[in-house]
Amino acid sequence: MPQTAQEVLQLIQEQDIKIVDLKFIDMPGIWQHCSFYRDLIDESAFDEGVPFDGSSIRGWKAINESDMSMVPDPTTAWIDPFMKEKTLSMICSIKEPRTNEWYSRDPRTIAQKSIDYLISTGIGDTAFIGPEAEFFIFDDVRFDQTQNTGYYYVDSVEGRWNSGKDEKPNLGYKPRYKEGYFPVAPTDTQQDIRTEMLLTMAECGVPIEKHHHEVATGGQNELGFRFDTLVKAADYLMTYKYVIKNVAKKYGKTVTFMPKPLFNDNGSGMHTHQSIWKDGQPLFWGDGYANLSKTALNYIGGLLKHAPALLAITNPTTNSYKRLVPGFEAPVNLAYSQGNRSASIRIPLSGTNPKAKRLEFRCPDATCNPYLAFAAMLCAGLDGIKNEIDPGESLDVDIYDLTPEELAKVPSTPGSLLDALKALEADHEFLLAGGVFTEDFLTTWIEYKIDNEVNPMRLRPHPYEFALYYDC
């Protein structure tokens, strides 16, 4: 893969690439793009950027100040495998063209600022992130909301609910509810599509590792890629989502990263592995609990302290909180453990290798904007290290065996997006440290989420409410 602007321009010439597609992420976390004829991309594009209108991008500019520039990162270049005409793709950060400064509401810029802040503290110089994003592959999806109707419908040939359907013929082998983890074919019908997804990701520069079926029936899956530095990991996750959705479309299927698209089965999360290094050495290995260093334990303390506010960014949808409920392996308990998967922070087994020592924050889901989520988690952890926040005792018992009195002593995640947004409003100083996030961005984020997601959900009747209350 190219590493410099000159190498990208050389690749364009050598492979006779006519179209260059520049991608950037909006505030909620969806890739946007514009395709340019190759003559418009020269060395100046990698410094000054390519102009575009930012007024139609969610949460960004007013129409009277809409001029912006997208600046491609040459290290993100790959040939798009889904385009008929050979197309070079690159991921961009956003600049203010009048000042040539990085745009304070650009999520990728915020992610880079979090690394700059890490370096400025002297604590470390590298943050490694390894996200594990789960998703569902469905064969059909329909949904609508009008003044007098509201419904959704999803279907999968793997769905246990289809065990009695006349499929001419129905061949059975449909994963039972909560028993979809690791069955072989023919129960696992999605081996080939996952393999194509994984190998296509590799073609796009993502360092691939594995793929497998996940716990839920109805086509829940996960692909794995190798951890990397914070910004690069976010770039890889966006490529991951792009590839998975487009490979699924080739097969006539559809993918969702919604945390809870199915009732009464496991939801999809994004367990996020993380560690800090300095001068090539890991900082989380030590002689404390689970071979953690004091730095790592304080990092955990920061995550736990700020978790209610963090979730407004790492779990940013109303649907996120239909996954974060007790049961279904949901990490709703704000505690840490080396084995307890219902704790929000787990310490994975890493043997005696200091370089493998990390922690896994299990709350996030893949509806988040990864640049914002990874940056926010790093800011929370750094706050814990700077202020030597004690994470308390680990929670190594089976949480579901605790008495109500014992469980009441364990803090839990917010019960709704609104609760998380209120927590963020009350607790966000840790995000402002080092200028990573700004008051302007956080105010815009909270207002956007309330106006566009929380309040619209409040105004709409839920179908199940009719079952509960229609005859009252």
Side-chain angles (χ1 to χ4, degrees), residues 50-349:
V50 180
F52 73 102
D53 177 3
S55 64
S56 296
I57 305 302
R58 295 179 294 177
W60 280 13
K61 289 284 192 173
I63 197 165
N64 63 320
E65 51 177 19
S66 61
D67 293 337
M68 308 191 80
S69 293
M70 57 179 101
V71 182
D73 182 343
T75 68
T76 66
W78 40 269
I79 304 298
D80 194 311
F82 304 106
M83 301 296 111
K84 180 179 178 181
E85 179 67 38
K86 185 177 285 189
T87 299
L88 184 74
S89 171
M90 285 185 286
I91 302 172
C92 299
S93 298
I94 306 301
K95 274 187 175 180
E96 295 269 20
R98 290 181 177 84
T99 64
N100 206 38
E101 294 181 351
W102 297 108
Y103 182 42
S104 63
R105 293 190 189 178
D106 170 38
R108 197 167 188 266
T109 293
I110 290 171
Q112 182 57 55
K113 284 182 178 179
S114 74
I115 299 303
D116 297 339
Y117 172 49
L118 167 64
I119 295 170
S120 75
T121 65
I123 294 170
D125 52 35
T126 306
F128 285 115
I129 303 290
E132 300 176 340
E134 299 165 338
F135 57 93
F136 279 87
I137 301 174
F138 291 131
D139 296 302
D140 189 28
V141 56
R142 289 175 276 132
F143 49 89
D144 200 5
Q145 176 80 61
T146 68
Q147 280 76 7
N148 69 316
T149 62
Y151 72 94
Y152 70 89
Y153 174 87
V154 295
D155 202 10
S156 166
V157 70
E158 281 197 353
R160 188 66 176 183
W161 56 84
N162 282 323
S163 61
K165 183 179 179 180
D166 183 4
E167 295 178 335
K168 298 183 174 40
N170 187 325
L171 300 178
Y173 299 114
K174 301 181 190 300
R176 285 178 285 273
Y177 297 107
K178 294 186 281 187
E179 294 186 26
Y181 196 63
F182 279 23
V184 299
T187 303
D188 179 3
T189 68
Q190 297 175 340
Q191 172 75 14
D192 289 341
I193 188 172
R194 289 197 311 269
T195 294
E196 183 168 338
M197 289 171 174
L198 194 74
L199 297 180
T200 303
M201 282 165 48
E203 292 176 22
C204 299
V206 179
I208 59 175
E209 287 190 337
K210 62 184 179 182
H211 69 74
H212 60 84
H213 205 285
E214 262 296 345
V215 175
T217 191
Q220 189 184 36
N221 295 276
E222 181 185 317
L223 277 65
F225 62 86
R226 184 174 172 78
F227 69 90
D228 213 307
T229 54
L230 188 146
V231 176
K232 186 64 70 175
D235 289 341
Y236 288 156
L237 184 63
M238 292 308 298
T239 304
Y240 176 103
K241 296 177 76 171
Y242 178 76
V243 167
I244 287 169
K245 290 176 180 179
N246 280 284
V247 170
K249 186 173 182 289
K250 281 178 57 179
Y251 281 73
K253 297 179 183 293
T254 179
V255 159
T256 183
F257 287 88
M258 281 180 65
K260 195 71 171 180
L262 295 182
F263 166 63
N264 213 28
D265 208 338
N266 283 50
S268 294
M270 188 181 73
H271 306 154
T272 304
H273 298 250
Q274 46 205 285
S275 64
I276 294 176
W277 291 45
K278 185 175 183 179
D279 298 329
Q281 296 301 313
L283 300 184
F284 279 9
W285 176 267
D287 57 5
Y289 172 81
N291 290 123
L292 292 172
S293 65
K294 183 178 185 299
T295 297
L297 288 167
N298 289 153
Y299 189 103
I300 290 171
L303 285 177
L304 293 176
K305 176 182 177 180
H306 299 298
L310 271 181
L311 264 62
I313 297 173
T314 63
N315 301 71
T317 69
T318 59
N319 188 254
S320 297
Y321 299 86
K322 291 179 169 59
R323 165 183 169 253
L324 291 177
V325 293
F328 308 103
E329 298 184 16
V332 298
N333 301 287
L334 295 178
Y336 69 103
S337 172
Q338 61 182 339
N340 200 325
R341 292 176 182 268
S342 62
S344 59
I345 296 177
R346 187 177 73 92
I347 315 305
L349 293 174

Side-chain angles (χ1 to χ4, degrees), residues 117 306 309-310 376-377 379-381 383 424 427-433:
Y117 172 49
H306 299 298
L310 271 181
M377 286 185 276
C379 286
D383 187 68
L424 178 61
D427 174 27
H428 61 262
E429 290 296 322
F430 70 99
L431 296 172
L432 303 177

